[in-house]
Amino acid sequence: MRVIESGIGELIQIPDMNAFREWNRTQKSRKLVDKLMTEQEAIRRFVYDGCYIGTELYGTVRCPMSLVREVIRQGIKDLRVAGQGVTELDLWLAAGIVKTLDITYIGLEVYGVSSALRRAVESGQVEKVVEWSNGGISWRFKAAAMGVPFLPVRSMLGSDTFKYSAAKIVECPFTGEKVALLPALILDVGLIHVHRADRYGNCQIEGITGFALEMARASKRLIISAEEIVPTEEIRRYPDRTVIPYYLVDAVVHAPFGSHPGEMAYRYCRDEPEIKAWVEASKTEEGARAYLKEWVYDLPDHQAYLKKVGRERLDRLVEGRERRE
Amino acid sequence: MRVIESGIGELIQIPDMNAFREWNRTQKSRKLVDKLMTEQEAIRRFVYDGCYIGTELYGTVRCPMSLVREVIRQGIKDLRVAGQGVTELDLWLAAGIVKTLDITYIGLEVYGVSSALRRAVESGQVEKVVEWSNGGISWRFKAAAMGVPFLPVRSMLGSDTFKYSAAKIVECPFTGEKVALLPALILDVGLIHVHRADRYGNCQIEGITGFALEMARASKRLIISAEEIVPTEEIRRYPDRTVIPYYLVDAVVHAPFGSHPGEMAYRYCRDEPEIKAWVEASKTEEGARAYLKEWVYDLPDHQAYLKKVGRERLDRLVEGRERRE
Amino acid sequence: MSEERYNPTELLICTASRLMEDEVTAFIGTGIPMLAAALAQRRQAPNLIPIFEFGGTGAILEDLPMAVGEARTFHKGLAASGICDIMETAARGFIDYGFLGGAQIDPYGNLNSTIIGPRHHPPKVRLPGSGGANDVGSLCWRTIIIIRHSRRTFVPKVDFITTPGYLTGPGAREEAGLPPGTGPLYVVSTLALLGFDEESKRMKLLKTQPGVTVDQVVAETGFELIIPSQIETNEPPSDEELRILREEVDRQRLYI
Amino acid sequence: MSEERYNPTELLICTASRLMEDEVTAFIGTGIPMLAAALAQRRQAPNLIPIFEFGGTGAILEDLPMAVGEARTFHKGLAASGICDIMETAARGFIDYGFLGGAQIDPYGNLNSTIIGPRHHPPKVRLPGSGGANDVGSLCWRTIIIIRHSRRTFVPKVDFITTPGYLTGPGAREEAGLPPGTGPLYVVSTLALLGFDEESKRMKLLKTQPGVTVDQVVAETGFELIIPSQIETNEPPSDEELRILREEVDRQRLYI
């Protein structure tokens, strides 16, 4: 397969599908076992210094924020991260625990550029940055999910986003056209927040699925947090609602309001003041540090976090939720 | 992209994604218009002699049988067919209207080899037969659905299924391993039966989705038949249940019991005596002809077909349906 | 073979069923594998996870499906998705076993379910084609082949390799690009249980079916089998197996 | 520009909104495109089909989303799927328009939202990165760029091509392998509405914003614009547009 052009970015994770198959054969049980555990236990067991990690969907939408905060709390460091993110990766960047980024977008959406990203990358604290598009990184997960080492796409071509990626350009042997080949992206650990899961890890999501299906299938270890734990009978009544089957899952964490300060479709809306608080705080290193101290380090767990947010405020978020009218 | 080996089967549909894009730009409306029509009108407007056509799921499971019969009734001929099928393609083969097959499996499942297939292929009446696996043909639809000219897979390698296909083998530029490249398969016409659709063509399916999502997205013309026509408000209440969005759809046909004699999950079970009747009848050319006369040609439409099946029998099928217990 | 107690189909089902382990994932095709899986779920493998190619995962096989896409393939299931998801699950190495059949098998476990005769088109006899078999044989960890035993089915060279076994022998699968560590594990036939030699990848007799001699197996096999010095006989289907099969698994006698 | 009647954001929104046709599909990003789409749905384009990259299709924009994955992006929507489905829909040619922004734009409509400065890493200024922009700019039929106008944003050469415009000129997109017939159509800025010359693919002034002279546009643009002899002025935002924008679209004044 003659390569016309190669991106100069480093290929951080090698798309070794044979090793991935072997991992899935030997390290992932087909047994229906109770995987319910706390954030503390899940992160302690499956997340480690230097691991390659990804989160889904992103900071303000169906994001495993209770897991994200626990990663910081446990002092895990040198993370290599698949970077589509808002608040979640921002917190990690501010905490100084990110070493390498396969980046697509890290920013504060309507609130603009991320100060935490700027500080971490411009200072060189983040040592490597490899560029991709949002579609690109999702297709990389999809390649891994399909069990193939790459996928062809017609995006990223002609741009510096390609040049600073680890993609390659080849000629299609059927049509002669140029296509970009994206290497499969296998995660050491994936963190995904869902609406409902049973104790074994069978998961249901409402609303858009973002890249949850692809990322779940691309992860060597998968930690699920869920708004609600349902009996397996409920899963078996609606097998067509299962988007992540149990055998992909290593840990199930019951995390009501797990996406806070982000939203959860049909459950609660985003907490605008809290999001703005981070936007403001993160403008300076000191502000970010104070925020992390107050909202992460000084709280023992997600229950304490929710208590600090307060029932009244959470009720208001539930009130403001999207409804199926 | 150096090709190590090429299948010797003919590439019946060229994976020209630029032409497909242009088609989708100019021939597919984004307008929300009422597409409800009869089987007769849908087939008359969108199916034509020599077209490349596909059906989903297959003859005994969620299959657009009322459309399949109407294709025969209208005397459409020289079809080129993506061949995963049981009763539906069997009827077409028996009617002598298939000229070319990208075949994966045509058979009668527990009832064994298809006599209609044997007669049609062994006689040379079907002029071309190109081999694929079920995964292979589904991935070919998926390639078209992804808007890319091919997909790599690790299946079909080393076999005569590959040799008599139109796939190619190349070396992965990331890992050096051999992978098979499957060319995207764009259908001139796709026929899909669903549980619910609105008049614009937004579709919901219950139970497994087979290859409906991929085939819908791989079709230049898409005819949907549906057990039930629902108001668009219902679609808008559950947008996460839409698996085929309206803009893919050219015609919506209201076809209760549209999968008969096959089943429809949670609605009705398969009609075993009727399936057996075809198995028996199709053993000889005369028997197949008599069956087609009785159940297709001599009936003006699906309503007449259902009347002939009879309310009592249909009620029994509903009684025997899978339930969400 | 005791004609009175069970028929050849029942023998195949019971022999295959015993090979199904608990808490594994297994690709189940139409026919005998479905019955074997349903029987296994009621005996040694209550948590066998059946996988059906069109999307069913983890069904409880209370009623027998007649097709691999039927609602019974996801009855009380854990997931109901689609064919790409399932085949990709196999590609990622999540499906432990696959059950396969065919019209012809060769010494390396290559299977033919496409055509009989030397010419591809038009062929002497047209069979259904690969279906999911090629994908199962390519991507599952180990396959178990269920086939009736005769010189017509056990041939030196299949007319068409629909589904790869060990192809031409050691290393051939890997050389073709197929995932390493895969390939046929057992062949369950009406006359014997067979396996494959570690070194040569050629078919090896493991056990004869009850009442069958080694000579009978050899006589009905169109190629040289590896025959160890000691050959045991399979346990015949037990009364309990047959009872479950007839009274619970296939109450309506659709298959047996 | 009348400081009293509307602000620059409102001007950008109203100008962009008028470009949105009825019964087309349009990729909508966070911020101004959302407001423009919501305004258009209430005026000339009630059946504009907004597409949001993480899965929302055909939402009715009753409340303004603050993020492209929020539930409001599929509020009363026709479909809610995922990012791959949406990007692949664009790849198949089903998305007519895409709206893009950026920190820098060059004469060929190439956009930068990745870094400022000559070095990729560590950079002088790190911006968010492509997000979906590169995919939108590669795969949608036509893109419309919304950007504040100054010599800092309209530069001869962007520091980094995050999202391809016409790259180096005629034929360059096709040569790179991008689908033919695609590329930027308009640039909506605070000073002007601009387009691209058919032949040279270089940026061309189409209309000035109300109260802005051609000289001002030229002065604030860091490269040579193609300037036709006759230049009209855009209609300013009407009272009706502003009323809808302020009272219906962005009642809570989150953006404007």
Side-chain angles (χ1 to χ4, degrees), chain C residues 144-207:
Chain C
I144 294 171
I145 297 158
I146 303 169
I147 191 164
R148 275 158 216 275
H149 208 131
S150 82
R151 293 186 81 88
R152 277 179 50 219
T153 49
F154 284 65
V155 297
K157 193 172 182 306
V158 293
D159 291 338
F160 191 99
I161 301 180
T162 307
T163 301
Y166 291 106
L167 297 171
T168 53
R173 282 180 71 93
E174 294 74 8
E175 169 58 29
L178 291 166
T182 55
L185 181 62
Y186 293 120
V187 180
V188 174
S189 86
T190 38
L191 300 184
L193 175 67
L194 306 107
F196 293 85
D197 181 64
E198 277 290 304
E199 295 296 305
S200 67
K201 301 293 184 192
R202 284 182 62 99
M203 205 184 291
K204 180 168 86 172
L205 183 60
L206 297 178
K207 289 182 181 183

Side-chain angles (χ1 to χ4, degrees), chain D residues 1-67:
Chain D
M1 205 181 302
S2 160
E3 299 279 332
E4 305 81 40
R5 283 195 53 248
Y6 52 87
N7 64 34
T9 303
E10 289 172 328
L11 176 65
L12 287 173
I13 294 166
C14 292
T15 313
S17 182
R18 292 176 196 161
L19 299 173
M20 295 185 175
E21 298 165 33
D22 200 19
E23 296 169 346
V24 299
T25 45
F27 229 116
I28 307 294
T30 304
I32 289 171
M34 283 182 187
L35 289 112
L39 177 58
Q41 274 194 345
R42 285 167 172 81
R43 302 191 79 241
Q44 80 281 6
N47 291 303
L48 170 77
I49 306 291
I51 311 268
F52 292 93
E53 69 183 274
F54 288 105
T57 294
I60 296 174
L61 299 171
E62 289 174 1
D63 289 295
L64 264 189
M66 298 288 282

Side-chain angles (χ1 to χ4, degrees), chain A residues 256-258 260 301-311 314:
Chain A
F257 296 98
H260 186 273
D301 55 25
H302 185 53
Q303 286 65 45
Y305 175 92
L306 290 184
K307 207 171 155 199
K308 184 168 161 68
V309 173
R311 190 70 242 177
L314 294 175

